[in-house]
């Protein structure tokens, strides 16, 4: 392993807590350093049952091997909630198409038809689209994975709170009842989407709290830490989760924690890459207050690395709606033209 890959720390969740249930100081130090200096780390020992990783990759591959007509039955253009299947080259990052296709899903909740006009983010809540006829096991395997990732995300957020010298339940209220987590099954295909070039996914930061990514052996994920112009590859570790923090934590800590910019290079033509990202996120109506950092940490806060064309927001619902409208302009135009016209994208 070269020096660049070694700069992405590896943490073991089995070392997180002592026998008395409290967090281990050594684990907290490693987590704090990773979250402040790099904004990315890899996580092992997170409790996946034997064969679970293989099962989720297997069902993901089989979904993308279905005939296109079967996948298009789940076309996300049918969903006002941005759920379902996105065709190759039809998700947009930084104004360019990405060289990937994907299936987006989230908590199974009914759509809301009555919500305040100043809270349009409630429209992202709604039913998932599943291939129950063509691949019935996909729903069960995917939702079992999401349940495990919810537990891992919750535990890591508690550890982040302790690393900030806060009670471990500091962020708990924002997640009570109906956390609006999101997940994807993703297939990268190089050399097919001409407009994408080598862009698997363009450079961006995630807009939630904690991202947990399961990546296969192909690689292509790169990160650019703060105050650096260098892109660092995140070398695949079999079964490990790649963890990064989102904009909500950067905003809350005035930049002490990083929502690190990252991108994915498309694989070479003829090579398939599969990933399963999970975004541990609070309720849609959660607004995150600034964290009062202890003086030693406050001195190291960088301030928010805001993009004037894509500002970070303290309202989770506003942040996620902004992201969906930009990433899926066709869905926005079909189902939410009033939001496009009002400039909320």
């Amino acid at each position: 392993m070269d020096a660049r890959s070694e700069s992405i720390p590896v943490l073991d969740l089995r070392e997180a807590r002592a026998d008395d249930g409290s967090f281990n100081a050594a684990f907290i130090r490693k987590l704090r350093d990773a979250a402040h200096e790099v904004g990315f780390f890899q996580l092992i020992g997170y409790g996946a049952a034997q064969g679970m990783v293989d099962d989720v990759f297997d069902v993901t591959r089989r979904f993308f091997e279905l005939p296109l007509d079967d996948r298009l039955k789940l076309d996300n253009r049918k969903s006002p909630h941005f759920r379902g299947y996105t065709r190759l080259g039809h998700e947009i990052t930084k104004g360019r198409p990405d060289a990937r296709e994907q299936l987006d899903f989230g908590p199974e909740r009914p759509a809301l038809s009555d919500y305040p006009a100043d809270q349009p983010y409630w429209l992202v809540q709604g039913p998932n689209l599943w291939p129950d006829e063509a691949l019935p096991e996909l729903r069960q395997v995917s939702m079992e994975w999401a349940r495990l990732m919810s537990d891992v995300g919750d535990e890591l957020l508690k550890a982040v709170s302790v690393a900030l010298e806060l009670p471990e339940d500091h962020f708990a209220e924002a997640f009570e009842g109906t956390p609006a987590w999101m997940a994807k099954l993703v297939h990268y295909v190089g050399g097919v989407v001409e407009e994408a070039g080598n862009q698997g996914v363009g450079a961006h930061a995630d807009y939630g709290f904690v991202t947990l990514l399961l990546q296969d052996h192909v690689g292509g994920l790169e990160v650019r830490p703060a105050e650096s112009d260098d892109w660092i590859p995140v070398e695949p570790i079999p079964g490990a989760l790649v963890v990064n923090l989102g904009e909500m934590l950067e905003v809350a800590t005035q930049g002490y924690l990083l929502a690190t910019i990252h991108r994915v290079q498309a694989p070479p033509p003829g090579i398939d890459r599969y990933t399963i990202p999970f975004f541990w996120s609070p309720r849609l109506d959660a607004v995150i207050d600034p964290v009062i950092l202890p003086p030693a940490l406050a001195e190291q806060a960088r301030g928010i690395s805001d993009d004037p064309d894509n500002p970070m927001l303290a309202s989770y619902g506003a942040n996620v709606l902004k992201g969906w409208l930009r990433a899926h302009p066709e869905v926005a135009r079909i189902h939410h033209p009033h939001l496009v016209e009002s400039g909320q994208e």
Side-chain angles (χ1 to χ4, degrees):
M1 184 179 294
D2 64 23
R4 292 185 304 165
S5 58
E6 287 178 346
S7 65
I8 305 295
V10 179
L11 278 67
D12 189 335
L13 197 58
R14 292 166 295 194
E15 300 173 353
R17 292 189 184 264
D19 292 340
D20 65 1
S22 63
F23 279 103
N24 276 318
F27 179 87
I28 293 299
R29 283 195 300 273
K30 291 178 184 177
L31 175 63
R32 183 189 297 118
D33 289 346
H36 174 65
E37 299 293 342
V38 185
F40 267 76
F41 58 92
Q42 301 210 55
L43 188 73
I44 61 175
Y46 55 89
Q50 182 69 31
M52 195 175 189
V53 168
D54 291 339
D55 288 346
V56 72
F57 272 132
D58 176 66
V59 78
T60 297
R61 291 187 192 97
R62 285 192 287 142
F63 171 73
F64 292 111
E65 290 170 355
L66 290 174
L68 181 60
D69 285 348
D70 285 338
R71 284 174 278 155
L72 286 175
K73 290 176 182 177
L74 316 179
D75 193 327
N76 72 339
R77 291 173 296 178
K78 301 176 181 179
S79 170
H81 319 295
F82 300 92
R83 306 292 176 89
Y85 172 67
T86 303
R87 296 155 295 152
L88 270 171
H90 283 261
E91 181 165 13
I92 305 298
T93 308
K94 289 290 186 182
R96 285 177 58 193
D98 297 326
R100 64 175 179 173
E101 56 181 340
Q102 64 191 40
L103 182 73
D104 287 284
F105 63 100
E108 291 282 8
R109 297 183 186 130
L112 298 177
S113 57
D114 185 20
Y115 48 80
D118 62 349
Q119 297 177 16
Y121 51 75
W122 288 110
L123 64 83
V124 306
Q125 177 172 309
N128 294 310
L129 302 179
W130 298 108
D132 286 334
E133 292 185 8
L135 191 61
E137 57 269 44
L138 185 92
R139 179 198 293 256
Q140 178 180 346
V141 172
S142 299
M143 294 303 277
E144 285 179 355
W145 183 256
R147 282 190 286 273
L148 174 61
M149 293 300 97
S150 296
D151 291 342
V152 175
D154 179 65
E155 180 73 348
L156 283 175
L157 194 54
K158 290 175 180 176
V160 167
S161 299
V162 173
L164 297 174
E165 300 184 22
L166 301 168
E168 66 175 63
D169 64 351
H170 178 82
F171 294 106
E173 191 280 330
F175 288 78
E176 284 180 1
T178 54
W181 57 264
M182 301 181 298
K184 303 172 183 281
L185 310 178
V186 183
H187 177 212
Y188 292 90
V189 184
V192 174
V193 182
E194 183 177 349
E195 307 95 302
N198 65 351
Q199 176 172 296
V201 177
H204 68 286
D206 294 340
Y207 41 72
F209 266 72
V210 179
T211 300
L212 307 168
L213 171 76
L214 184 65
Q215 65 170 342
D216 69 8
H217 65 281
V218 173
L221 174 62
E222 299 176 339
V223 308
R224 190 181 68 202
E227 301 156 7
S228 173
D229 295 325
D230 296 328
W231 289 97
I232 302 171
V234 184
E235 305 292 354
I237 297 174
L241 298 174
V242 180
V243 182
N244 64 283
L245 306 181
E247 293 176 346
M248 303 298 289
L249 284 173
E250 180 168 321
V251 169
T253 63
Q254 282 295 302
Y256 179 79
L257 298 178
L258 292 175
T260 301
I261 299 294
H262 52 286
R263 68 185 183 188
V264 176
Q265 300 281 53
I271 301 296
D272 298 298
R273 179 178 187 256
Y274 299 95
T275 66
I276 298 92
F278 177 91
F279 307 91
W280 180 234
S281 307
R283 296 189 316 275
L284 288 169
D285 61 351
V287 177
I288 307 304
D289 293 328
V291 169
I292 306 302
L293 294 171
L297 302 187
E299 290 177 1
Q300 301 175 58
R302 302 173 175 88
I304 299 170
S305 58
D306 225 347
D307 178 348
D309 295 324
N310 187 29
M312 298 183 187
L313 306 172
S315 161
Y316 177 65
N319 238 1
V320 74
L321 179 59
K322 174 194 69 174
W324 281 122
L325 292 171
R326 287 183 174 225
H328 297 280
E330 288 182 276
V331 176
R333 285 194 296 269
I334 292 168
H335 296 284
H336 312 296
H338 61 294
L339 296 179
V340 176
E341 291 166 4
S342 68
Q344 295 202 40
E345 83 285 9

